[in-house]
Amino acid sequence: MGAQESLPGDGSAPEMHHYYSKFMRECPSGQLSLHEFKKLLGLQGLDPQGDLYIKRVFDIFDLNQDGFIDFLEFIAAINLVIRGKIDQKLKWYFKLYDADGNGCIDKKELLSIFTAIQAINGHTNMSAEEFTSMIFQKIDVNNDGK
């Protein structure tokens, strides 16, 4: 009793009101656009690869694919990112990395993700190509390119 922390959406009316008020303060229209999403995260003015990555994250959170994140989608995203179980997070990351949706992550998709992350974080001690090759050699145990 009381040992398990509640999730947004599973809590009391005052808790839901708190999350709703916060969402509406940031997004008065009730629908968060990609532009507002980037602004909220402080990720404006990225290079094209970084922009592509952020758009992919946005599109995955936009569950009904209407081009906006509404309050329910926002709560689902918070649940996943902050309080989701490891298997839920892994499934989400796999979906993010598997850009073509074929059920496999190939070297091109991995390179795209590492290039975007590098652009967002600004780390350049190793090129995205070098890092991708190093990682791919370790994880592609059957040498099938996926």
Side-chain angles (χ1 to χ4, degrees):
M1 185 161 150
Q4 186 178 358
E5 187 174 353
S6 66
L7 300 174
D10 292 342
S12 64
E15 180 183 19
M16 286 304 294
H17 186 267
H18 165 76
Y19 285 110
Y20 184 73
S21 295
K22 189 171 188 173
F23 180 80
M24 292 306 290
R25 252 192 322 272
E26 295 296 326
C27 185
S29 71
Q31 294 187 314
L32 188 65
S33 69
L34 176 60
H35 174 75
E36 291 166 324
F37 183 71
K38 288 180 188 178
K39 185 177 176 184
L40 186 67
L41 297 175
L43 296 172
Q44 300 151 300
L46 296 175
D47 71 1
Q49 201 65 25
D51 270 340
L52 186 64
Y53 179 77
I54 297 304
K55 181 171 180 0
R56 182 112 176 96
V57 171
F58 180 87
D59 288 344
I60 292 172
F61 285 149
D62 179 13
L63 299 174
N64 64 0
Q65 299 298 300
D66 66 352
F68 298 95
I69 296 174
D70 63 26
F71 179 66
L72 293 177
E73 292 165 331
F74 175 74
I75 289 297
I78 289 173
N79 277 333
L80 176 68
V81 173
I82 296 175
R83 299 184 179 127
K85 294 179 182 173
I86 190 70
D87 62 326
Q88 294 169 319
K89 289 180 182 184
L90 288 173
K91 285 178 187 175
W92 185 85
Y93 278 115
F94 190 87
K95 186 176 180 180
L96 176 65
Y97 293 177
D98 182 19
D100 63 10
N102 71 351
C104 298
I105 299 172
D106 61 31
K107 194 171 183 177
K108 181 181 173 189
E109 290 168 324
L110 201 58
L111 175 60
S112 175
I113 292 298
F114 290 148
T115 302
I117 291 171
Q118 201 172 45
I120 291 167
N121 292 333
H123 299 294
T124 56
N125 55 348
M126 182 184 285
S127 77
E129 290 82 5
E130 292 169 327
F131 188 70
T132 301
S133 292
M134 179 187 75
I135 294 297
F136 219 77
Q137 283 178 336
K138 294 179 183 202
I139 62 172
D140 186 16
V141 293
N142 64 357
N143 294 314
D144 68 350
K146 299 177 183 179

